[in-house]
Amino acid sequence: MAEKEDWVDIGGAEELAATPLKSGRARTIAIAISFKDGEFGAVSNACNHVGGPLGDGSLDGDYIRCPWHGWKFHRRSGIGEPGFEQDCVPAFPVKVENGRVLVNVGAPSRRMKAPHEPHPLARKVERAPGPLRLAGVSTTAMDVTNPRFSGSDHLLDHALAAAAQHGAETRLIRLNDLKFRACEGYYSKSANACTWPCSITQMDASDELDRVYEAFVHWADAIIVASPIRWGTASSLYFKMAERMNCIQNQITIQNRMLIRNKVAGFIIVGGQDNVQMVAGQMLGFFAELGFIFPQFPYIAHSRGWSREDMENNVAIVRSSKELADGAHMLAKRLLDLAAHLIARDESPAVIERGGRKAHPV
């Protein structure tokens, strides 16, 4: 079959050649226009993955790298990078006449999407049978070569031990042991660029925050996040983790999909000086946005007050305090009791379906 010819003038050759890659239009068709080694290329501007704007990306040799998640397509043929040749975005014939660049929108190549093995985190969210499961997340940073006492870790250990005594499975995640990148602001590019699993997790197999995602979304019924107070707020590692949690909350925004459901959260906050309520308030507000539920008295905390600078005494108090240890035990029990109630309610025959979500008759 003869190719249909429908040549569209997209601009002056000299002007377009000044930019290696840009987004543009041929009438109503969004295209990525590239120039390299004296030749123009024109392909569809929509990446096969989640529609990222290829023209806003970068050139890697003769391949366009999508700015959202790094998928690559040949700038002239539209064929995927080596190993992914069955992934193709439409490519358009291009020619230059009288100093103008023309694109034949009547003869694009076909878009082809090869099947991709889904990321393990992308599986259906459903609770596996078994005992209650409590994950503890330590956000304390320290030099592992010269370890020191951490009050928040100390109380987290008490809480996890108490959970085990109550028959729960436990898992401790130390953020300080994980190598993971800071959030790189994919949501700032587009809401749809911030995906589940996290864009960074999909692109970088060495990024270890997948362990936190696995625990929060798939494994745990309840979590405890433990943090020291640093300059009146939670630790820097806590915020590094929290920023990467946006991909969980964003699923509600762009897909009305709730990844966290019937899961319980609590907190342990320890500081040499005050500001406990502000740190707790931030944590409560943030984890509520993720979808977690809280028991009564959802955190335990300790500080010495603003006027105290005697950190040696603070360490001694936290290490030896039976009251704080008992508080950690009771926090774990409150979380597990609420998680058990939510699981039992969710599995009850009285549960009915409303709009695709489980709900109880009023």
Side-chain angles (χ1 to χ4, degrees):
M1 181 182 296
E3 289 185 350
K4 178 182 177 182
E5 293 201 359
D6 186 6
W7 293 94
V8 177
D9 185 328
I10 62 169
E14 184 176 352
E15 179 185 354
L16 290 175
T19 305
L21 179 65
K22 66 183 299 184
S23 295
R25 285 193 173 273
R27 293 203 188 100
T28 60
I29 300 172
I31 58 175
I33 309 155
S34 60
F35 182 80
K36 184 176 181 290
D37 298 331
E39 292 184 304
F40 287 98
V43 299
S44 168
N45 203 36
C47 177
N48 272 1
H49 183 204
V50 288
L54 294 176
D56 294 349
S58 58
L59 287 183
D60 182 358
D62 278 325
Y63 288 87
I64 297 174
R65 185 180 188 277
C66 179
W68 285 7
H69 304 104
W71 287 33
K72 296 179 183 179
F73 302 91
H74 195 278
R75 69 181 193 87
R76 299 188 69 212
S77 68
I79 296 173
E81 65 179 315
F84 299 92
E85 292 87 348
Q86 298 305 308
D87 258 315
C88 303
V89 296
F92 301 88
V94 183
K95 64 182 180 181
V96 179
E97 288 185 351
N98 301 319
R100 307 295 295 180
V101 179
L102 306 177
V103 172
N104 185 4
V105 298
S109 59
R110 290 180 55 201
R111 184 185 296 274
M112 293 191 295
K113 294 185 178 183
H116 285 255
E117 191 71 23
H119 192 281
L121 289 172
R123 70 187 186 273
K124 182 180 179 182
V125 179
E126 53 186 357
R127 186 185 187 276
L132 292 172
R133 294 179 280 268
L134 174 65
V137 180
S138 160
T139 71
T140 295
M142 66 175 72
D143 176 7
V144 294
T145 307
N146 300 290
R148 57 173 175 76
F149 177 79
S150 165
S152 57
D153 278 5
H154 175 72
L155 295 178
L156 180 59
D157 289 341
H158 274 288
L160 292 175
Q165 291 172 9
H166 287 289
E169 292 183 8
T170 64
R171 183 179 294 181
L172 173 61
I173 301 173
R174 297 185 187 277
L175 295 186
N176 199 49
D177 293 341
L178 304 184
K179 293 181 173 59
F180 64 99
R181 285 155 58 176
C183 177
E184 294 167 12
Y186 284 85
Y187 186 85
S188 299
K189 299 179 180 182
S190 167
N192 289 311
C194 181
T195 57
W196 172 257
C198 170
S199 303
I200 294 172
T201 301
Q202 292 189 50
M203 291 187 292
D204 185 354
S206 68
D207 185 88
E208 294 178 335
L209 202 69
D210 59 341
R211 301 178 194 182
V212 178
Y213 291 139
E214 173 69 28
F216 280 19
V217 174
H218 292 291
W219 184 79
D221 300 307
I223 67 168
I224 296 177
V225 178
S227 178
I229 298 176
R230 296 282 184 254
W231 281 100
T233 191
S235 75
S236 58
L237 272 181
Y238 165 79
F239 284 106
K240 186 179 179 183
M241 174 191 73
E243 289 178 3
R244 289 283 300 276
M245 294 294 111
N246 192 60
C247 63
I248 295 175
Q249 197 277 334
N250 192 42
Q251 285 294 294
I252 301 170
T253 304
I254 64 176
Q255 293 193 27
N256 197 28
R257 181 187 182 201
M258 196 181 307
L259 294 174
I260 304 294
R261 187 174 181 277
N262 286 347
K263 293 177 180 284
V264 185
F267 310 97
I268 292 172
I269 303 162
V270 175
Q273 297 181 340
D274 213 349
N275 227 31
V276 166
Q277 284 86 354
M278 198 209 78
V279 177
Q282 192 284 333
M283 288 178 156
L284 287 163
F286 178 75
F287 279 85
E289 283 293 298
L290 296 183
F292 283 93
I293 298 169
F294 310 110
Q296 282 188 308
F297 314 113
Y299 65 91
I300 62 167
H302 166 78
S303 79
R304 292 276 281 159
W306 176 250
S307 62
R308 297 287 188 173
E309 296 286 355
D310 52 343
M311 290 307 298
E312 296 82 0
N313 287 332
N314 186 65
V315 166
I317 290 170
V318 175
R319 193 194 296 270
S320 62
S321 172
K322 183 177 184 302
E323 182 181 27
L324 286 172
D326 289 346
H329 283 232
M330 294 306 298
L331 176 63
K333 186 175 186 306
R334 288 195 297 275
L335 294 171
L336 294 173
D337 286 348
L338 179 54
H341 169 74
L342 293 171
I343 292 167
R345 186 189 69 174
D346 206 41
E347 296 174 349
S348 167
V351 171
I352 61 173
E353 294 287 340
R354 289 182 186 161
R357 290 182 180 171
K358 292 182 178 180
H360 285 270
V362 177

Coordinates of all heavy atoms in Angstrom, one line a residue, residues 45-109:
N45 N 5.3 12.4 20.7 CA 5.7 13.0 21.9 C 5.4 12.2 23.1 O 5.8 12.5 24.2 CB 5.2 14.4 22.0 CG 6.1 15.3 22.9 OD1 7.3 15.1 23.0 ND2 5.4 16.2 23.7
A46 N 4.6 11.1 23.0 CA 4.0 10.4 24.1 C 4.8 9.1 24.3 O 4.8 8.2 23.4 CB 2.6 10.1 24.0
C47 N 5.5 8.9 25.4 CA 6.2 7.7 25.8 C 5.2 6.5 25.9 O 4.1 6.7 26.4 CB 7.0 7.9 27.0 SG 7.9 6.5 27.6
N48 N 5.7 5.3 25.6 CA 4.9 4.2 25.8 C 4.5 3.8 27.2 O 3.5 3.1 27.5 CB 5.6 2.9 25.2 CG 5.3 2.8 23.7 OD1 4.6 3.6 23.1 ND2 5.8 1.7 23.1
H49 N 5.3 4.3 28.1 CA 5.2 3.9 29.5 C 3.9 4.5 30.1 O 2.9 3.8 30.3 CB 6.4 4.3 30.3 CG 6.4 3.8 31.7 ND1 7.1 4.4 32.7 CD2 5.7 2.8 32.4 CE1 6.9 3.8 33.9 NE2 6.1 2.8 33.7
V50 N 4.0 5.8 30.5 CA 2.8 6.4 31.0 C 2.5 7.8 30.3 O 1.9 8.7 30.9 CB 2.8 6.6 32.6 CG1 2.7 5.3 33.3 CG2 4.1 7.3 33.0
G51 N 3.0 7.9 29.1 CA 2.7 9.1 28.3 C 3.6 10.3 28.5 O 3.2 11.4 28.2
G52 N 4.8 10.1 29.1 CA 5.7 11.2 29.3 C 6.1 11.9 28.0 O 6.1 11.3 27.0
P53 N 6.3 13.2 28.1 CA 6.6 14.0 26.9 C 8.0 13.8 26.5 O 9.0 14.4 27.0 CB 6.3 15.5 27.4 CG 6.6 15.4 28.9 CD 6.2 14.1 29.4
L54 N 8.2 13.0 25.5 CA 9.6 12.7 25.0 C 10.4 13.9 24.6 O 11.6 14.0 24.9 CB 9.5 11.7 23.9 CG 9.0 10.3 24.2 CD1 8.9 9.5 22.9 CD2 9.8 9.6 25.2
G55 N 9.7 14.9 24.0 CA 10.4 16.1 23.6 C 11.0 16.9 24.7 O 11.8 17.8 24.5
D56 N 10.5 16.7 25.9 CA 11.1 17.4 27.1 C 12.2 16.6 27.8 O 12.7 17.0 28.8 CB 9.9 17.6 28.2 CG 8.9 18.6 27.7 OD1 9.1 19.2 26.6 OD2 7.8 18.7 28.3
G57 N 12.6 15.5 27.1 CA 13.6 14.7 27.7 C 15.0 15.1 27.2 O 15.3 16.3 27.1
S58 N 15.9 14.1 27.0 CA 17.2 14.4 26.6 C 17.7 13.4 25.6 O 17.1 12.3 25.5 CB 18.2 14.4 27.8 OG 18.1 13.2 28.4
L59 N 18.7 13.7 24.8 CA 19.3 12.7 23.9 C 20.4 12.0 24.5 O 21.3 12.5 25.2 CB 19.8 13.5 22.6 CG 18.8 14.1 21.6 CD1 19.5 14.7 20.4 CD2 17.8 13.0 21.2
D60 N 20.4 10.7 24.3 CA 21.4 9.8 24.7 C 21.9 9.1 23.5 O 21.4 8.1 23.0 CB 20.9 8.8 25.7 CG 22.0 7.8 26.3 OD1 23.2 8.0 25.8 OD2 21.7 7.0 27.1
G61 N 22.9 9.7 22.8 CA 23.3 9.2 21.5 C 22.1 9.5 20.5 O 21.7 10.6 20.4
D62 N 21.7 8.5 19.8 CA 20.5 8.6 18.9 C 19.2 8.3 19.6 O 18.2 8.1 18.9 CB 20.7 7.7 17.7 CG 21.6 8.4 16.6 OD1 21.6 9.6 16.5 OD2 22.4 7.6 16.0
Y63 N 19.2 8.1 20.9 CA 18.0 7.7 21.6 C 17.4 8.9 22.4 O 18.2 9.6 23.1 CB 18.2 6.5 22.5 CG 18.4 5.2 21.7 CD1 19.6 4.9 21.2 CD2 17.3 4.5 21.3 CE1 19.8 3.7 20.4 CE2 17.4 3.3 20.6 CZ 18.7 2.9 20.1 OH 18.8 1.8 19.3
I64 N 16.1 9.1 22.4 CA 15.5 10.0 23.3 C 15.2 9.4 24.6 O 14.6 8.3 24.7 CB 14.2 10.6 22.7 CG1 14.4 11.3 21.3 CG2 13.4 11.5 23.6 CD1 13.2 11.7 20.6
R65 N 15.6 10.0 25.7 CA 15.4 9.5 27.0 C 14.2 10.2 27.6 O 14.2 11.5 27.8 CB 16.6 9.7 27.9 CG 16.5 9.0 29.3 CD 17.8 9.3 30.1 NE 17.8 8.5 31.3 CZ 17.1 8.9 32.5 NH1 16.5 10.1 32.5 NH2 17.2 8.2 33.6
C66 N 13.1 9.5 27.9 CA 11.9 10.1 28.5 C 12.3 10.8 29.8 O 12.9 10.2 30.7 CB 10.8 9.0 28.7 SG 9.3 9.7 29.4
P67 N 11.8 12.0 30.0 CA 12.1 12.7 31.3 C 11.4 12.2 32.5 O 11.8 12.5 33.6 CB 11.6 14.2 31.0 CG 10.5 14.0 30.0 CD 10.9 12.8 29.2
W68 N 10.4 11.4 32.3 CA 9.7 10.9 33.5 C 10.3 9.6 34.1 O 10.5 9.5 35.3 CB 8.2 10.6 33.1 CG 7.4 11.8 33.0 CD1 7.8 13.1 33.0 CD2 6.0 11.9 32.7 NE1 6.8 14.0 32.8 CE2 5.6 13.3 32.7 CE3 5.0 11.0 32.6 CZ2 4.3 13.7 32.4 CZ3 3.7 11.4 32.4 CH2 3.3 12.7 32.3
H69 N 10.6 8.6 33.3 CA 11.0 7.4 33.8 C 12.2 6.7 33.1 O 12.5 5.6 33.3 CB 9.9 6.4 33.9 CG 8.7 6.9 34.7 ND1 7.6 7.3 34.1 CD2 8.6 7.1 36.0 CE1 6.7 7.8 35.1 NE2 7.3 7.6 36.2
G70 N 12.8 7.5 32.1 CA 14.0 7.0 31.5 C 13.9 6.0 30.4 O 14.9 5.5 29.9
W71 N 12.6 5.7 29.9 CA 12.5 4.8 28.7 C 13.1 5.5 27.5 O 13.0 6.8 27.4 CB 11.0 4.5 28.5 CG 10.5 3.6 29.5 CD1 10.8 3.4 30.8 CD2 9.4 2.6 29.2 NE1 10.0 2.5 31.4 CE2 9.2 1.9 30.4 CE3 8.7 2.2 28.1 CZ2 8.2 0.9 30.6 CZ3 7.8 1.2 28.2 CH2 7.6 0.5 29.4
K72 N 13.7 4.7 26.6 CA 14.4 5.3 25.5 C 13.9 4.8 24.2 O 13.6 3.6 24.0 CB 15.9 5.0 25.6 CG 16.6 5.6 26.8 CD 18.1 5.1 26.8 CE 18.8 5.7 28.1 NZ 20.2 5.2 28.1
F73 N 13.8 5.7 23.2 CA 13.4 5.4 21.8 C 14.3 6.1 20.8 O 14.7 7.3 21.0 CB 11.9 5.8 21.6 CG 11.0 5.2 22.6 CD1 10.7 5.9 23.9 CD2 10.4 4.0 22.4 CE1 9.9 5.3 24.8 CE2 9.5 3.4 23.3 CZ 9.3 4.1 24.5
H74 N 14.5 5.4 19.7 CA 15.4 6.0 18.7 C 14.7 7.3 18.1 O 13.5 7.3 17.8 CB 15.6 5.0 17.5 CG 16.7 5.4 16.6 ND1 16.6 6.3 15.6 CD2 18.1 5.0 16.6 CE1 17.7 6.5 15.0 NE2 18.6 5.7 15.6
R75 N 15.5 8.3 18.0 CA 14.9 9.6 17.7 C 14.3 9.7 16.3 O 13.5 10.6 16.0 CB 16.0 10.7 17.9 CG 17.1 10.7 16.9 CD 18.1 11.8 17.1 NE 19.0 11.9 16.0 CZ 18.8 12.6 14.9 NH1 17.7 13.4 14.8 NH2 19.6 12.7 13.9
R76 N 14.7 8.8 15.4 CA 14.2 8.8 14.0 C 13.3 7.7 13.7 O 12.3 7.8 13.0 CB 15.4 8.9 13.0 CG 16.3 10.1 13.2 CD 17.3 10.2 12.1 NE 16.7 10.5 10.8 CZ 17.1 10.1 9.6 NH1 18.2 9.3 9.5 NH2 16.5 10.5 8.5
S77 N 13.6 6.5 14.2 CA 12.8 5.3 13.9 C 11.7 5.0 14.9 O 10.8 4.3 14.6 CB 13.7 4.0 13.8 OG 14.2 3.7 15.0
G78 N 11.9 5.6 16.1 CA 10.9 5.4 17.2 C 11.1 4.0 17.9 O 10.3 3.7 18.8
I79 N 12.1 3.2 17.5 CA 12.3 1.9 18.0 C 12.9 2.0 19.4 O 13.8 2.8 19.6 CB 13.1 1.0 17.1 CG1 12.3 0.8 15.8 CG2 13.5 -0.3 17.7 CD1 13.2 0.1 14.7
G80 N 12.5 1.1 20.3 CA 13.1 1.1 21.7 C 14.6 0.8 21.7 O 15.1 0.2 20.7
E81 N 15.2 1.1 22.8 CA 16.7 0.9 22.9 C 17.0 -0.6 22.8 O 16.1 -1.4 22.9 CB 17.2 1.5 24.2 CG 16.6 0.8 25.5 CD 17.1 1.3 26.8 OE1 18.4 1.6 26.8 OE2 16.3 1.6 27.7
P82 N 18.2 -1.0 22.6 CA 18.6 -2.4 22.5 C 18.1 -3.2 23.7 O 18.3 -2.8 24.8 CB 20.2 -2.3 22.4 CG 20.5 -1.0 21.8 CD 19.4 -0.1 22.3
G83 N 17.5 -4.3 23.3 CA 16.9 -5.1 24.3 C 15.4 -4.9 24.5 O 14.6 -5.7 25.0
F84 N 14.9 -3.7 23.9 CA 13.5 -3.4 24.0 C 13.0 -2.9 22.6 O 12.2 -2.0 22.5 CB 13.3 -2.2 25.0 CG 13.7 -2.6 26.4 CD1 15.0 -2.3 26.9 CD2 12.8 -3.3 27.3 CE1 15.3 -2.7 28.2 CE2 13.2 -3.6 28.6 CZ 14.4 -3.3 29.0
E85 N 13.5 -3.6 21.6 CA 13.2 -3.2 20.2 C 11.7 -3.4 19.9 O 11.2 -2.8 18.9 CB 14.0 -4.0 19.2 CG 15.5 -3.7 19.2 CD 16.3 -4.5 20.3 OE1 15.7 -5.1 21.1 OE2 17.5 -4.4 20.2
Q86 N 11.0 -4.2 20.6 CA 9.6 -4.4 20.4 C 8.7 -3.3 20.9 O 7.5 -3.3 20.7 CB 9.1 -5.8 21.0 CG 9.8 -7.0 20.4 CD 9.7 -7.0 18.9 OE1 8.6 -6.9 18.3 NE2 10.8 -7.1 18.2
D87 N 9.3 -2.4 21.6 CA 8.6 -1.2 22.1 C 8.9 -0.1 21.1 O 10.1 0.3 20.9 CB 9.2 -0.7 23.5 CG 8.2 -1.1 24.6 OD1 7.0 -0.9 24.5 OD2 8.7 -1.6 25.6
C88 N 7.9 0.4 20.4 CA 8.1 1.5 19.4 C 7.1 2.6 19.6 O 5.9 2.3 19.8 CB 7.9 0.9 18.0 SG 9.0 -0.5 17.6
V89 N 7.5 3.8 19.4 CA 6.6 4.9 19.3 C 6.5 5.3 17.9 O 7.4 5.1 17.1 CB 7.0 6.1 20.2 CG1 7.0 5.8 21.7 CG2 8.4 6.6 19.8
P90 N 5.4 5.9 17.4 CA 5.3 6.3 16.0 C 6.4 7.3 15.6 O 6.7 8.2 16.3 CB 3.9 7.0 16.0 CG 3.1 6.3 17.1 CD 4.1 6.1 18.2
A91 N 6.9 7.0 14.4 CA 7.9 7.9 13.8 C 7.4 8.4 12.5 O 6.6 7.7 11.8 CB 9.2 7.2 13.6
F92 N 7.7 9.7 12.2 CA 7.2 10.3 11.0 C 8.4 10.6 10.0 O 9.4 11.1 10.5 CB 6.5 11.6 11.4 CG 5.4 11.5 12.3 CD1 5.6 11.5 13.7 CD2 4.1 11.3 11.9 CE1 4.5 11.3 14.6 CE2 3.0 11.1 12.8 CZ 3.2 11.1 14.1
P93 N 8.1 10.4 8.7 CA 9.1 10.9 7.7 C 9.3 12.4 7.8 O 8.4 13.1 8.1 CB 8.5 10.5 6.4 CG 7.5 9.4 6.7 CD 7.0 9.8 8.1
V94 N 10.6 12.8 7.7 CA 10.9 14.2 7.7 C 11.8 14.6 6.5 O 12.6 13.8 6.1 CB 11.8 14.5 9.0 CG1 12.1 16.0 9.1 CG2 11.0 14.0 10.3
K95 N 11.6 15.8 6.0 CA 12.4 16.3 5.0 C 12.6 17.8 5.1 O 11.8 18.5 5.8 CB 11.9 16.0 3.6 CG 10.5 16.6 3.2 CD 10.1 16.2 1.9 CE 8.7 16.8 1.5 NZ 8.2 16.4 0.2
V96 N 13.6 18.4 4.5 CA 13.8 19.8 4.5 C 13.7 20.4 3.1 O 14.4 19.9 2.2 CB 15.2 20.2 5.1 CG1 15.4 21.7 5.1 CG2 15.3 19.6 6.5
E97 N 12.9 21.4 2.9 CA 12.7 22.0 1.6 C 12.7 23.5 1.8 O 11.9 24.0 2.6 CB 11.4 21.5 0.9 CG 11.4 20.1 0.4 CD 10.2 19.8 -0.4 OE1 9.2 20.6 -0.3 OE2 10.1 18.7 -1.0
N98 N 13.5 24.2 1.0 CA 13.5 25.6 1.0 C 13.7 26.2 2.5 O 13.1 27.2 2.8 CB 12.3 26.2 0.4 CG 12.1 25.8 -1.0 OD1 13.1 25.7 -1.8 ND2 10.9 25.4 -1.4
G99 N 14.6 25.5 3.2 CA 14.8 26.0 4.6 C 13.7 25.7 5.6 O 13.8 26.2 6.7
R100 N 12.8 24.9 5.2 CA 11.7 24.6 6.1 C 11.7 23.1 6.4 O 12.0 22.3 5.5 CB 10.3 25.0 5.5 CG 10.2 26.4 5.0 CD 10.3 27.4 6.1 NE 9.1 27.3 7.1 CZ 9.0 28.1 8.2 NH1 9.9 29.0 8.5 NH2 7.9 27.9 8.9
V101 N 11.3 22.7 7.6 CA 11.2 21.3 8.0 C 9.8 20.8 7.8 O 8.8 21.5 8.4 CB 11.7 21.1 9.5 CG1 11.6 19.6 9.9 CG2 13.1 21.6 9.7
L102 N 9.6 19.7 7.1 CA 8.3 19.2 6.8 C 8.2 17.8 7.4 O 9.1 17.0 7.3 CB 8.0 19.1 5.3 CG 8.2 20.4 4.5 CD1 8.0 20.2 3.0 CD2 7.3 21.5 5.0
V103 N 7.1 17.5 8.0 CA 6.8 16.2 8.6 C 5.6 15.6 7.9 O 4.5 16.2 7.8 CB 6.5 16.3 10.1 CG1 6.1 15.0 10.7 CG2 7.8 16.8 10.8
N104 N 5.7 14.3 7.5 CA 4.6 13.6 6.8 C 3.7 13.0 7.9 O 4.0 11.9 8.4 CB 5.1 12.6 5.8 CG 4.0 11.9 5.1 OD1 2.8 12.3 5.2 ND2 4.3 11.0 4.2
V105 N 2.7 13.6 8.3 CA 1.8 13.1 9.3 C 0.9 12.0 8.8 O 0.2 11.3 9.6 CB 0.9 14.2 10.0 CG1 1.8 15.2 10.7 CG2 0.0 14.9 9.0
G106 N 0.9 11.8 7.5 CA 0.0 10.8 6.9 C 0.7 9.4 6.9 O 0.0 8.4 6.5
A107 N 1.9 9.3 7.3 CA 2.6 8.0 7.2 C 3.4 7.7 8.4 O 4.6 7.4 8.3 CB 3.5 8.0 5.9
P108 N 2.8 7.7 9.6 CA 3.6 7.4 10.8 C 3.8 5.8 10.9 O 3.0 5.1 10.3 CB 2.7 7.8 11.9 CG 1.3 7.7 11.4 CD 1.4 8.1 9.9
S109 N 4.9 5.4 11.5 CA 5.0 4.0 11.8 C 4.1 3.7 13.0 O 3.5 4.5 13.6 CB 6.5 3.7 12.2 OG 6.9 4.5 13.3

